[in-house]
Structures are given as structure tokens and as C-alpha cells.
Amino acid sequence: MRCIDNRSCHVKHYHAKINDFKEAILKQNGLNTQEDEVFALNINQLREYLDNIYGSYHLTVDKNIERRMFEDAYQLDDPNQLDYFVKKNFTNKEEAGDYIVAALDKSKLNSKETLYNTVLKDIQSLKNYNDDLLTILKELDAEREVFNAEQKRREGVLNRLMGDYVAVKEKYQSKNFIPDANSTLRLTFGNIKGYSPADATYMSPFTTIKGLIEKGNSGLPEFEYPESIKAAWLEKNFGAYVKKDLNDVPVNILYNMDTTGGNSGSPIMNAHGELIGVNFDRAYDATINDFAWSEDYSRSIGVDIRYVLWIADKIDNAQFILKEMGI
């Protein structure tokens, strides 16, 4: 479901995708040829999207999240109160939470196999299907759209005032100042460091080409790699890019520096100001970093510059680039 306790959240969950697809079919006004065309053109793309969702879907987790969202939304006071919860006449937050959990339990959307074999079996099955979960989402969406329109209007007014606000503030302080961190240099420091996300489990701070090949052997398309990488690795053609204690070329590194959205592509430098990597992600356990930081598990991920150079040199034969960089 879309977030209802934070109305700026527009992330669509699988419930919304089913509603959107059904609405697209119903907009054809019963014209069978057009309905067939819309269904045929979109069903495979929808299944691909849902496969990704259900690959990491856990009903118990969904229930816990939705319960908390409904309980929080029930407690919103005027003028933030949601009409949906007023109309439902819940007597307490627990009743609101129980309601959404029951809707999840009864819905055919909580199982990919059931969804594919019944609801998405054909056009008529999709058109005929409805449940409390889809109804809840539709009603909350209608209320959210009204809010979004008002929010856009207010943002437009505030944006026009921002320039005047900055000018007044600058004049009042009689000096230039940095209004925010955008477009300014920001530095953080830390160490290359692994972590232990669970008992008897340790995530090493370095991954290697060996690990890249092992993942490729899984047959999953996201882990495919050029055969030239495997050939070079088997020949131990590492050149100057080998990490001796690993007897391999390091691919990715973990480090305990705080990063956020927009940091991808940021340089990672050592204490001497030398480029050693490029930031691109966080560890799975560190996705909560924007809200809570822990030295035990908050780790960012960067590609080791030795791997970048190894690919350019040994795989792509782009020695001219290395020469241009003075390497």
C-alpha cells in the first residue's frame, strides 16, 4: 500500500499495481478488442514487476507494517485526520490495525500463485475481482489526490517566496551564508570495515572477482558477466591490481561512512587524498541509516578502484585511458 501516515510517500506496492491494471482495462468501456489489447500488451510486464515484488515478499512483515501504518493513521488529529478513518468509526487504534490485517489475510493478492491462477488468469477474472484490500487502497488514494493538489499549490507559493526569504536573510546578517548543503563540498571520514549482521555471520570488507564468478554460476541474469573476466581470473592475470592478502582483485569495499541518496558516484579517498573507490550503495542492513545509525552494521559500499582499473586494462584493453590518467 502507499504510505498513509506520510502522505508525501508515493511508492506503489503490488496492491496498487493490480488496481491500476484493472482501471486501465475498465477504461476501455467494455470494448472487447481494446480490452484484449491492453491486457496482452501489459500482462507480461505486470508479471515481471510482481515477480520482483513477491521474490522478497513476506506476509507477516506486510501485516506488521500495515498494522502500524493504520494504527498511526487512525491517531491523526484535525486537521490531519483522514476522512476514511472517520467513516469507518473505529473505536481504537487496535481495531484499525485488526481491520487491515484481516483484509490482507482474505485477499488473493497475498499469494503470487493464487493471484496468477485466479485474478490474472484472464480479463474477465481481473474485472470481476475485488476485495477489501483493493477497496481500501482506492478510497485512500482518492483522499490522497486531494491532498497532493493542495500540497502542489502550497509548494508553488513557497517556492516563489524562497528567493525573497534568502535575500532578506542575507541582508539581515550582512554577509554571505550557505543556505543548505546542496552544491557544496561535504566530507565524511571513517574506515574500511566489515560487520556482523547476525550471530556467527561476518561480512568481509572486500569482495573479489572469485565471488563475482561464484554469483555468476547461480544462473541469475543480474549476476551475468563477460567470459573474458573468468578467463583472466583463471590465468591469474591480475597485474598491478591484485590485493596480495586475498590473491585476487578486490571488487567492492565496505566502510563505516555515512552516505545517503545522491552520494552515488562520490569519490572514496584514503588519508593521503588518493582515490581508492567510488561510492554506489549501502549494505542491506544500512538502509535505515537516514533514520538511525549504528557502528555495528551501518556500512556503505563502493567499487574498489583497482577493479575499475583492472577492467579497463585487462578486459576492455583501454590502456589509452590509463595512459591519459597517468597510471
Side-chain angles (χ1 to χ4, degrees):
M1 294 189 63
R2 289 184 179 92
C3 297
I4 54 176
D5 55 345
N6 178 358
R7 301 192 195 185
S8 64
C9 175
H10 302 294
V11 179
K12 287 189 176 183
H13 204 4
Y14 63 101
H15 322 106
K17 279 292 184 182
I18 300 300
N19 254 351
D20 290 346
F21 191 39
K22 183 177 178 180
E23 286 296 320
I25 297 292
L26 295 175
K27 284 180 181 178
Q28 308 312 310
N29 297 318
L31 299 175
N32 293 337
T33 302
Q34 291 181 199
E35 288 182 351
D36 290 341
E37 185 177 3
V38 171
F39 190 86
L41 286 173
N42 292 280
I43 186 62
N44 289 334
Q45 184 178 354
L46 177 64
R47 283 175 179 261
E48 183 178 344
Y49 172 86
L50 293 173
D51 284 342
N52 291 329
I53 291 291
Y54 283 106
S56 58
Y57 178 71
H58 196 288
L59 181 59
T60 301
V61 174
D62 205 14
K63 286 180 181 179
N64 290 338
I65 292 173
E66 306 294 2
R67 174 183 289 279
R68 176 59 184 269
M69 290 170 65
F70 255 59
E71 289 179 354
D72 287 351
Y74 167 80
Q75 296 178 92
L76 292 174
D77 297 325
D78 288 332
N80 298 315
Q81 193 172 41
L82 294 171
D83 290 341
Y84 174 85
F85 289 88
V86 175
K87 294 175 183 176
K88 283 296 179 183
N89 290 319
F90 296 126
T91 58
N92 53 55
K93 68 176 186 178
E94 287 75 19
E95 187 177 336
D98 290 342
Y99 183 78
I100 187 63
V101 169
L104 280 163
D105 268 330
K106 291 185 291 184
S107 177
K108 292 182 179 179
L109 275 62
N110 62 30
S111 164
K112 184 177 79 169
E113 290 72 24
T114 303
L115 173 64
Y116 284 8
N117 294 330
T118 57
V119 181
L120 297 179
K121 181 178 64 174
D122 51 47
I123 293 175
Q124 202 57 46
S125 298
L126 176 62
K127 289 170 63 177
N128 291 341
Y129 182 74
N130 199 16
D131 62 25
D132 290 341
L133 199 59
L134 295 181
T135 301
I136 291 168
L137 180 63
K138 195 170 182 178
E139 292 180 11
L140 286 172
D141 260 0
E143 193 166 350
R144 184 182 63 83
E145 289 304 322
V146 175
F147 170 81
N148 283 347
E150 174 61 18
Q151 186 179 45
K152 288 179 180 178
R153 185 194 68 80
R154 293 183 182 182
E155 286 176 352
V157 174
L158 290 174
N159 287 339
R160 288 196 298 269
L161 294 172
M162 182 56 67
D164 295 337
Y165 166 74
V166 172
V168 169
K169 186 174 179 180
E170 187 173 5
K171 186 174 181 179
Y172 174 75
Q173 293 186 350
S174 299
K175 62 181 180 179
N176 292 325
F177 64 95
I178 300 173
D180 55 42
N182 296 326
S183 301
T184 62
L185 180 63
R186 284 166 284 175
L187 297 174
T188 185
F189 65 91
N191 302 98
I192 293 175
K193 194 175 183 181
Y195 72 105
S196 180
D199 184 43
T201 302
Y202 177 68
M203 298 297 185
S204 169
F206 292 95
T207 61
T208 62
I209 297 172
K210 178 185 177 183
L212 184 152
I213 293 171
E214 288 173 346
K215 289 184 176 70
N217 292 337
S218 67
L220 297 173
E222 60 264 37
F223 297 130
E224 290 179 359
Y225 59 86
E227 280 301 313
S228 54
I229 288 181
K230 186 174 183 178
W233 183 80
L234 290 172
E235 294 171 3
K236 302 301 178 185
N237 185 14
F238 300 147
Y241 315 110
V242 66
K243 191 174 189 303
K244 292 182 180 179
D245 59 332
L246 297 175
N247 192 28
D248 207 334
V249 176
V251 176
N252 291 326
I253 52 178
L254 290 172
Y255 41 94
N256 62 348
M257 290 185 279
D258 195 10
T259 58
T260 190
N263 276 139
S264 292
S266 297
I268 307 165
M269 296 177 288
N270 63 15
H272 304 289
E274 298 166 333
L275 181 68
I276 63 170
V278 181
N279 178 79
F280 71 88
D281 205 351
R282 302 181 199 171
Y284 180 80
D285 306 273
T287 53
I288 196 175
N289 278 6
D290 286 342
F291 306 96
W293 171 269
S294 171
E295 173 57 31
D296 292 335
Y297 58 78
S298 292
R299 299 291 184 271
S300 294
I301 310 174
V303 58
D304 194 297
I305 203 65
R306 286 169 287 192
Y307 179 67
V308 176
L309 296 174
W310 182 78
I311 289 290
D313 188 1
K314 305 298 184 181
I315 305 303
D316 292 338
N317 294 313
Q319 290 82 14
F320 67 95
I321 294 178
L322 303 182
K323 183 178 179 180
E324 183 179 327
M325 292 190 297
I327 297 174

